[in-house]
Amino acid sequence: MHRSADFPRLNARMNCSNCSMRSKCKGCMSKCFPVPLTKAQVKAILQRFDSDGDRRLSKQELESALYYIGSHLPGWRATQALNTADRNHDGYINDGEMDDLVEYVWQRGYTIS
């Protein structure tokens, strides 16, 4: 599994917020480092994507959340997350399963710039 922390030079260039040329940034790479999301931030982001307000996440809502935080394959990652966190196998992540989902997503090492 590759995490953003495994490629600090590449991610520093991709996540650079100090310049307008993010893809070609070279001068400020020493100043621009990705910051890992905390578990609280991951949970807040996931809860924000509960679009129908039923206090549970469907695969589509989870896929949208994972896309938002930077997953390269959000559909596949959403399936993996459901397989990991959905203990009752109903196809949704409810409040009781949210901590397992947060742990799964947090372990992937997503960052913010």
Side-chain angles (χ1 to χ4, degrees):
M1 161 185 17
H2 295 292
R3 299 180 322 156
S4 56
D6 297 332
F7 303 100
R9 293 195 57 169
L10 176 63
N11 283 315
R13 194 168 58 244
M14 290 170 49
N15 292 329
C16 179
S17 59
N18 290 337
C19 64
S20 60
M21 301 297 287
R22 290 182 182 161
S23 63
K24 298 178 183 178
C25 176
K26 292 180 184 168
C28 61
M29 277 184 16
S30 62
K31 299 178 214 168
C32 305
F33 292 102
V35 178
L37 289 168
T38 65
K39 288 182 183 181
Q41 289 171 321
V42 169
K43 187 172 185 173
I45 291 169
L46 292 172
Q47 288 174 335
R48 203 167 59 196
F49 279 86
D50 179 17
S51 58
D52 55 6
D54 62 355
R55 296 179 53 102
R56 56 187 196 158
L57 291 173
S58 66
K59 183 180 182 231
Q60 292 77 22
E61 292 167 337
L62 184 53
E63 186 175 337
S64 296
L66 291 169
Y67 177 79
Y68 176 80
I69 63 174
S71 176
H72 295 288
L73 299 168
W76 181 83
R77 185 63 67 195
T79 300
Q80 296 302 310
L82 277 170
N83 289 339
T84 301
D86 185 16
R87 285 181 262 141
N88 62 3
H89 305 290
D90 65 350
Y92 294 92
I93 302 296
N94 59 36
D95 285 338
E97 300 163 335
M98 184 60 77
D99 290 337
D100 293 336
L101 177 63
V102 169
E103 183 67 28
Y104 174 82
V105 173
W106 179 76
Q107 286 180 355
R108 307 286 74 82
Y110 295 107
T111 61
I112 56 174
S113 55

